[in-house]
Amino acid sequence: MDRIQLLDDIERYLRNEMTPAEKYAFEELRQGDPDVDLMVVEHSLFMHQLEMFGDQKNFRTSLHEIHTDLASKGVIKETAPKAIIAQLWKKHRRVMGVAASIAGITTLLIAGISTYYSRKASTAELQVLSKKFENTEKKVNALSQQVENKKVEEPKAPATPIKSGGTGFLIDGKGYIITNAHVVEGSQAVVLQNNKGAEFRASLIHLNAQNDIAILKIEDADFKAPSSLPYSFRKNGAELGEQLFTLGYPREEIVYNEGYMSALTGFNGDTLSCQIGVSANPGNSGGPVFNKNGEVIGIINTRQTQAEGVVFAVNARNIFNAVDSIVKIDSSANHLKLPLNSQLKGMDRVQQIRKIADCVFMVKSY
Amino acid sequence: MKPDQQELSLLEGLAKNDREAVEVIYGRHFPMVQSLIINNNGSSEDARDIFQEAMIVLYERSRTPEFELQCQLKTYLYSVCRRLWLKRLAQAQRYIPQVNGLEETIPVEEDVELHEQKNLEFQMMEKALLGLGEPCKSLLEAFYIQRRNMSEIASSFGYTNPDNAKNQKYKCLLRLRKLFFSEYKINTV
C-alpha cells in the first residue's frame, strides 16, 4: 500500500503536480533514502519509455489512418506487386522500345531495299527479254521486209552524206547501168564510181521495187562507154550446181567472189530469184552474178541474216523484163539492147575479170 | 540542399503529430518510396511498412531537441527508406547488393541505428503490455497513452471512484514495470 503511495508521489513529483511543500518533503525523502532515489530514476526512465511508446503508437495509428485515407482519396496509388517479367518490362521498356524500333526500321529498310532492287533486276530482266524479243521480232520483221522488198543492209560509207551504197553494172555500151531498186530508192542523186576512182553522175531511168531492179543512165559527157560489153545476159538462168562468180563493191575496192548455184528459187520459194552459194556483204547489192562463160544470170540483192552463206539474186530474166518496159515507155531507149553473146567464153577467170571490172561500178546514193 | 521554410514547418507539425502536416508529407513522398521498393523486388505493402517506418524515424528524430534537418525531407526519407529496405532484403536473404534508384541519398546509418534501438524498446513495451493482460493493459493505455483523466477512466472501466481506479492503475503499473525491466535487462545485458 505504501509502495503504491510512493509511486503516486513519484509520479506527481515527476509531473510537477506537487505543491512546493510536498515537493520539498519528497526531495528530503529522496535524498535520505537511496532506494527511493533509485526508484525515482527508474520510474522517470520508465515513464519516458511509456510515453515514447504511447507517442509512437499514436503516431503509427495516425500514419495508418493517413495511408488509408490518402489511398481512398487517390492521392497515393497502391501499385499492385508486379511479376518479374512486368518489372523487367518496366525497367527496360525504353531500351526495348528503341531496340524494337531499330530492328523494325532495319527490317523495313532491308526489305524495302531488297524489294526495290529485286524489282529493278526483274524489270531489267524483263526489259532484256523484251528487248531480245523485240530484237527477234525486229529481225523477223526485217527479214520479211527484206524478202518483200528485196532489200539488204547497205554499207554506210564513212563520208556520211552518202545515204546508201551498192554495186551496179553496165547493161549496154551507152551508159545504161542496172542495180537494185533498194540501193537508189529515195535518193536525191546517184553517183557512180568505177574501179579507177572516176565518178559519174547518173539519173534514174527505171525503178521496179517489186523485182528490186533499177536502171540508171550516166549523164556525164566525159564517160566513155565501151563500144561493146564483154559479157552477155542469159535469160534462162543457171543450172543447179553451176560455178558462179561475182564482182562488187562491199568496200572501196572492187571485190571478186565465187560460188555455185544453190537453189533455183529464192527465199520461201520465190521464183523471181534464186539462191547462190557465195559470200556477199552489204555493198554487194546490185552486183552481177556470172556463170563460168561470163554470162549474167542474176543480180545479188539479199542474204538471209540467220543463215551463213545463203544469198539471193534476182534472176536475169527480170533484167530483160525491165529493159522491155523501158523501151516501151521511152522511145529514146529503143536502141537499148542486152548483149546475148559473151566475149568471155573460154577465157580464164583473171582475164574475164580484167575485162568485166571496167563495167562494174560502185553506186553511191545521196 | 537545405530544407525550405515550408518543410521546416511541416517538420514541426510532424514532431507534434499534427495530422495535417503528416498527411502532406505522406502524400508528397510516399509515391517515390513506393516506386523505389516496387522496382527493387518489393510489394506495395512492403513500401507502406518501409515508408511508415521511415516516417517514425523522422518523427523520433524531429522530437529530439538537437535534431536539425540538413537536407530536403525528400532526400532524408528516401535515404532512410533505402537503408531500411536494404536491411529488410538482407534479412530475407534476398540481398541485392545494389538497390537501384536515381535519387540523391545522404548517410542515415546513425539515425537508423538509433531507431532500431528505440524500436526494440517499443517492442519490449508492447510485449510487456501484452503480458500484462486485461484490464491492466487497457487501463494503462487509457491513462498513459490516450491521456484520459482518471475520473473518466473510472466511469468507463466501471470503477466505483477515481481513487480505486488510480490504485488499480498503480498496481498494474508496478507489474508492467517488473515485466518491462526484466525484459530490458535480458536485452541490454
Side-chain angles (χ1 to χ4, degrees), chain A residues 192-206:
Chain A
L192 303 173
Q193 185 184 322
N194 66 9
N195 62 339
K196 293 178 183 75
E199 288 186 332
F200 311 97
R201 270 176 302 185
S203 62
L204 188 62
I205 303 287
H206 171 82

Side-chain angles (χ1 to χ4, degrees), chain A residues 1 3-4 7-12 15 38-39 42-43 45-47 49-60 62-67 69-70 73 75-82 84 87 90-91, chain B residues 14 17 19 22-23 26-27 30-31 34 38-39 41-45 48 52-53 55-56 59-60 63 100 118-119 121-122 125-126 129 141 143-145 147 166-167 169-171 173-174 176-177 180-181 184:
Chain A
M1 195 62 197
R3 199 175 159 82
I4 288 169
L7 207 60
D8 187 42
D9 284 345
I10 293 168
E11 208 158 279
R12 279 171 59 216
R15 288 186 185 192
L38 179 69
M39 218 170 151
E42 262 186 9
H43 196 70
L45 180 74
F46 183 69
M47 287 310 288
Q49 284 289 342
L50 199 58
E51 217 170 274
M52 286 270 292
F53 174 79
D55 285 344
Q56 221 193 82
K57 199 161 174 161
N58 282 338
F59 189 68
R60 275 176 200 266
S62 70
L63 278 178
H64 206 75
E65 278 170 16
I66 286 166
H67 186 91
D69 208 28
L70 289 177
K73 276 186 204 157
V75 177
I76 54 170
K77 276 184 201 140
E78 286 196 350
T79 327
K82 294 161 300 172
I84 293 290
Q87 275 188 36
K90 195 169 184 185
K91 213 181 226 172
Chain B
L14 179 77
N17 191 9
R19 173 85 190 225
V22 177
E23 234 180 74
Y26 206 107
F30 177 71
Q34 180 172 246
I38 282 175
N39 284 333
N41 274 352
S43 66
S44 62
E45 280 77 35
R48 193 181 64 192
Q52 291 187 359
E53 198 83 36
M55 284 295 278
I56 292 162
Y59 172 70
E60 283 166 350
R63 279 158 66 90
N100 298 311
K118 285 192 173 163
N119 228 8
E121 287 170 11
F122 180 86
M125 187 62 84
E126 204 167 33
L129 267 172
E141 272 179 0
F143 186 78
Y144 288 105
I145 294 166
R147 309 237 161 86
K166 207 175 181 176
N167 278 342
K169 183 204 78 177
Y170 280 125
K171 277 183 189 164
L173 193 65
L174 278 174
L176 182 66
R177 264 188 61 166
F180 177 76
F181 278 114
Y184 192 78

Side-chain angles (χ1 to χ4, degrees), chain A residues 169 230-232 238 242-248 254-261 276-279 284 287-300 313 342 344-357 360:
Chain A
F169 59 97
Y231 48 82
S232 66
E242 222 180 300
Q243 290 291 319
L244 306 171
F245 67 92
T246 65
L247 283 167
I254 191 161
V255 173
Y256 166 84
N257 252 310
E258 61 180 22
Y260 42 85
M261 191 70 181
I276 55 172
V278 293
S279 76
N284 269 117
V289 182
F290 301 98
N291 62 11
K292 66 177 192 313
N293 293 330
E295 294 169 313
V296 175
I297 58 105
I299 307 166
I300 293 176
S342 172
L344 304 170
K345 211 176 268 178
M347 288 174 77
D348 88 310
R349 190 54 51 85
V350 180
Q351 293 291 322
Q352 288 176 334
I353 292 164
R354 195 177 290 153
K355 292 203 167 212
I356 297 167
V360 179

Side-chain angles (χ1 to χ4, degrees), chain B:
Chain B
M1 212 169 164
K2 293 268 179 188
D4 57 19
Q5 202 49 52
Q6 193 209 6
E7 289 204 326
L8 286 176
S9 63
L10 278 175
L11 203 59
E12 255 175 64
L14 179 77
K16 287 183 223 149
N17 191 9
D18 175 44
R19 173 85 190 225
E20 215 170 294
V22 177
E23 234 180 74
V24 170
I25 296 171
Y26 206 107
R28 204 178 277 175
H29 302 300
F30 177 71
M32 168 190 75
V33 171
Q34 180 172 246
S35 66
L36 168 78
I37 302 297
I38 282 175
N39 284 333
N40 288 284
N41 274 352
S43 66
S44 62
E45 280 77 35
D46 291 333
R48 193 181 64 192
D49 287 354
I50 293 291
F51 185 70
Q52 291 187 359
E53 198 83 36
M55 284 295 278
I56 292 162
V57 172
L58 185 62
Y59 172 70
E60 283 166 350
R61 293 294 285 133
S62 68
R63 279 158 66 90
T64 53
E66 77 277 4
F67 178 69
E68 204 179 314
L69 194 60
Q70 292 296 332
C71 58
Q72 283 186 305
L73 267 181
K74 176 183 161 186
T75 311
Y76 186 83
L77 283 171
Y78 182 83
S79 307
V80 172
C81 286
R82 193 170 178 276
R83 182 89 206 123
L84 289 173
W85 183 237
L86 268 172
K87 284 206 148 191
R88 180 79 68 92
L89 286 177
Q91 278 166 12
Q93 306 278 307
R94 287 192 292 171
Y95 185 70
I96 295 172
Q98 209 174 355
V99 167
N100 298 311
L102 297 167
E103 303 292 334
E104 182 191 354
T105 56
I106 56 150
V108 286
E109 278 73 14
E110 246 176 79
D111 289 6
V112 173
E113 292 287 321
L114 200 69
H115 166 72
E116 272 167 3
Q117 181 58 40
K118 285 192 173 163
N119 228 8
L120 202 66
E121 287 170 11
F122 180 86
Q123 279 163 7
M124 287 191 297
M125 187 62 84
E126 204 167 33
K127 198 177 169 188
L129 267 172
L130 277 171
L132 201 57
E134 296 295 346
C136 273
K137 183 175 174 275
S138 302
L139 187 64
L140 289 178
E141 272 179 0
F143 186 78
Y144 288 105
I145 294 166
Q146 291 154 23
R147 309 237 161 86
R148 289 151 72 183
N149 74 41
M150 220 55 231
S151 52
E152 196 191 323
I153 290 167
S155 64
S156 71
F157 279 83
Y159 293 104
T160 48
N161 61 57
D163 277 340
N164 273 354
K166 207 175 181 176
N167 278 342
Q168 192 56 47
K169 183 204 78 177
Y170 280 125
K171 277 183 189 164
C172 289
L173 193 65
L174 278 174
R175 274 181 60 209
L176 182 66
R177 264 188 61 166
K178 209 181 262 175
L179 278 167
F180 177 76
F181 278 114
S182 66
E183 192 79 18
Y184 192 78
K185 269 160 198 155
I186 291 165
N187 275 289
T188 47
V189 171

